[in-house]
Amino acid sequence: MSPDLSFLLPPLVGGIIGYITNDVAIRMLFRPHQPKYLFGHRIPFTPGIIPKEKSRIALAVGESISQNLINPEVLERNLLSDEMQGKLTAAIDRFVSRQQHNTETLEQFVRHYLTRDELEAIKTSVKTDLARQLYTKLNDAAVGTKISHKVIESVMKKMQGGIKGMVNQTLGISQIAELISEPAEHLLAKQINELISENAEQMVATLLEGETEKLLAQPMNQLLANREQQIAQLKDTALNLYRNIITERLPRILKAIDMSHVIESRINEMDMNDTERIIHQVVDHELKAVIWFGALLGFIIGIVNVLF
């Protein structure tokens, strides 16, 4: 063998061996996915390290993520940061601005988020509840009494004003009017209550039906026109609701979900092919670097052997 080849061959062989051994070692992290048997005995190092320890890894990853990444303190700090709240405020402003120029009717706008059947169900539910509440209030006997009292009071004032200074005031018209005012008030209250009892439910339902349809037929830009104060109040309400959800509801949600268990279960449910593919997507560059580092290390060891 020529001197040149005797000098180059050991480093090249060392580099190749280093490359192959590191490549095999990395592959053995994932493969084989299942244990292999020979004459009834499990072959050592099967399955690979990750498939073999998948359950333990899943438990450790789930606990680590839930304790250090997806926990109430970390999420609250990030979700309530000035930057995040600024983004939310800007998003609300953009949404309002779009709707201020939106010529769609309220019904057309809502239909982007609800089906026709869902919208009809909500309309029916709201109208039914409001009609029932209004009818209950109107059917209260106090309503007729209050209305009749106001009516008689107004009539008495007009009568007293009309006869003031007139001669027939001396004939006791004022006293007669005062005398009949009380029974007239009771009679009017009775008539009003009967009218409400017989007709109010249908009247309220018809009124709500018409007003609901009018509201849904209004264009979005008209509904929001000249309502800067109400829009500002709604924006504040939305931001306060967001903060309340993060501070009050989020910890309960995370506790109820048990994020550690969810992550652990999801990892255990994943097929090893998918698991291997995901890991390679994340650290493929680093794994290749380890393989080439093995080749470099083998090459250097080969040179050392030649020199010494």
Side-chain angles (χ1 to χ4, degrees), residues 31-43:
R31 296 177 181 277
H33 295 168
Q34 302 296 332
K36 303 297 181 181
Y37 294 90
L38 183 63
F39 305 119
H41 297 282
R42 184 174 65 85
I43 299 175

Side-chain angles (χ1 to χ4, degrees), residues 87-101:
K87 290 180 178 179
L88 179 60
T89 301
I92 294 174
D93 289 338
R94 288 194 299 271
F95 175 80
V96 171
S97 178
R98 287 197 302 270
Q99 303 318 313
Q100 287 174 329
H101 296 86

